Amino acid sequence: MSTASDSDTKPPVGSGPGPKPPVLSVRGLSVRFRMRGGRHIAAVSDAHFDLAAGECLALVGESGCGKSVLASALLGLLPGNARTSGSALLGDGTELLTAGERTLARTVRGRRIGLVPQSPAAHLTPVRTVRAQLEETLRELTGTRRSAVRPAAERAAARASFPAGHLDRYPHELSGGLAQRAATALALIGDAPLLLADEPTTGLDRDLVERTVDELRRHTDGDRALLLITHDLAAAERIADRVAVMYAGRIVELADAQRFFGQPGPRHPYAHGLLDALPERAFVPIPGMPPELGALPEGCAFAARCGRADDRCAVLPPFDGRLACHHEVRADGEEPVRA
Ligand SMILES: Nc1ncnc2c1ncn2[C@@H]1O[C@H](COP(=O)(O)OP(=O)(O)OP(=O)(O)O)[C@@H](O)[C@H]1O
């Protein structure tokens, strides 16, 4: 497999002069779940990408394609029936896939990788108010002194548009949107070099979506990086430098966001379908359903839904760092001849 460099990629925001090591380098990352009866679920297959200092990469794709499992693998939060292979290296040299639980708990989670979780209600401590959780996290991650911690907690809440008037509530007293904002405020506190935001805008109205993703984007100032996992393509378009499209556990396209959302548009037929399905675009759904991750075909997993599929698709298309498809979509509708 070739490297994940994208020839179209502009220098990431904040990358400054001279090359800096990536904040995260993922190579050949796969996750398999072992099921009863010896069955396996191939939740993530051979993921391959870099995340540069100052960059926001949006990871998009239909529900169940493996986005959250990939994030959990990076944080060592997979259940016991999961097996990982490949490599996920932080800029400081920490290999996330082999790091022990002690290292992950003490030095990685919260400090080197912040997480805005997909299910904030489950992530917040149920018996402590939001204020108590913010104050505790501030003391632990930033060493804020007792005398300064109350205003610091209020500032942390404001960063995620969490209203000060709700700080003394318990998680069960929060709406889904407020729990989301509390979890975002907690994730931002450590100013970790890498922030993973897994569906950070669920339950928020459009105005709050924009404020939240703008704040997440600001996290990348000062050479930090953001991996934004989202269904919300408008949010991705608003803040991402690059887009990684995942289908049935594989990254099938990695593209510069301007190219992807603008002209000439995506290269992969699935990515085209995702954009065409948007109400503000053609509003045409992709026909059919994604395959079961426990029974993937040998060739291209999208072929059964793809109008361009032919005999070549019986062979799995290799990912060349920007695309995994035998039928690259070009702006003029022509297909280039591939070796
Ligand atoms: N513990 C587990 N055991 C077996 N399969 C699992 C387990 N956890 C997740 N999966 C499967 O892995 C696949 C990928 O799930 P994942 O949650 O990563 O999808 P996703 O792309 O994040 O979806 P969504 O956007 O809905 O969150 C799904 O088919 C899911 O059923």
Side-chain angles (χ1 to χ4, degrees):
M1 179 179 285
S2 61
T3 67
S5 66
D6 183 343
S7 54
D8 292 322
T9 303
K10 64 189 177 211
V13 179
S15 59
K20 289 200 170 77
V23 173
L24 174 70
S25 256
V26 172
R27 294 288 177 273
L29 169 56
S30 298
V31 181
R32 300 279 175 273
F33 291 108
R34 222 181 13 217
M35 309 302 281
R36 278 201 199 132
R39 246 172 28 93
H40 282 83
I41 291 184
V44 178
S45 296
D46 209 13
H48 204 87
F49 64 90
D50 281 346
L51 197 45
E55 185 181 33
C56 169
L57 175 67
L59 182 59
V60 304
E62 280 164 302
S63 200
C65 70
K67 305 183 297 296
S68 298
V69 169
L70 193 155
S72 298
L74 298 178
L75 286 158
L77 292 175
L78 290 168
N81 65 333
R83 291 290 172 273
T84 57
S85 56
S87 157
L89 205 61
L90 284 183
D92 65 5
T94 306
E95 171 52 63
L96 295 168
L97 301 189
T98 53
E101 174 56 27
R102 192 181 161 92
T103 303
L104 290 166
R106 291 201 172 180
T107 66
V108 173
R109 294 184 207 123
R111 294 178 197 276
R112 289 188 236 173
I113 307 180
L115 173 69
V116 181
Q118 187 172 29
S119 310
H123 198 76
L124 298 168
T125 307
V127 294
R128 310 202 61 200
T129 64
V130 175
R131 184 190 301 281
Q133 293 184 56
L134 287 171
E135 290 185 358
E136 182 184 13
T137 306
L138 277 160
R139 282 198 296 267
E140 201 172 302
L141 295 185
T142 68
T144 307
R145 281 200 307 243
R146 187 172 285 273
S147 57
V149 81
R150 193 175 169 92
E154 287 171 8
R155 283 195 300 278
R159 265 181 95 179
S161 304
F162 186 93
H166 291 56
L167 276 170
D168 294 311
R169 293 193 177 187
Y170 290 89
H172 74 271
E173 297 175 307
L174 303 176
S175 66
L178 278 177
Q180 186 71 65
R181 283 183 260 169
T184 302
L186 284 163
L188 288 169
I189 283 177
D191 281 330
L194 172 61
L195 185 63
L196 302 184
D198 192 354
E199 302 291 356
T201 56
T202 308
L204 305 183
D205 62 32
R206 188 44 50 187
D207 179 47
L208 263 174
V209 166
E210 293 184 355
R211 274 159 55 193
T212 301
V213 295
D214 289 351
E215 184 60 38
L216 294 174
R217 175 74 233 201
R218 272 193 285 281
H219 180 83
T220 64
D221 296 349
D223 284 351
R224 293 182 293 264
L226 170 63
L227 181 61
L228 172 69
I229 295 174
T230 188
H231 287 114
D232 187 338
L233 294 174
E237 182 174 5
R238 186 174 174 89
I239 65 161
D241 298 306
R242 287 191 301 155
V243 183
V245 181
M246 217 167 166
Y247 186 78
R250 286 184 186 276
I251 292 178
V252 295
E253 179 163 359
L254 191 56
D256 174 83
Q258 275 186 359
R259 170 192 218 282
F260 185 87
F261 290 110
Q263 291 301 326
R267 293 184 167 102
H268 197 285
Y270 170 64
H272 254 275
L274 272 186
L275 290 187
D276 281 350
L278 293 173
E280 61 274 25
R281 298 205 181 202
F283 207 14
V284 177
I286 304 172
M289 298 287 288
E292 289 282 328
L293 296 181
L296 287 172
E298 277 190 19
C300 172
F302 186 60
R305 305 171 76 186
C306 182
R308 294 170 169 247
D310 62 20
D311 292 349
R312 282 180 289 175
C313 307
V315 175
L316 188 70
F319 181 64
D320 67 5
R322 53 178 200 143
L323 183 70
C325 182
H326 298 296
H327 305 88
E328 177 173 340
V329 180
R330 296 201 311 181
D332 58 8
E334 294 292 313
E335 285 181 28
V337 178
R338 287 195 150 208

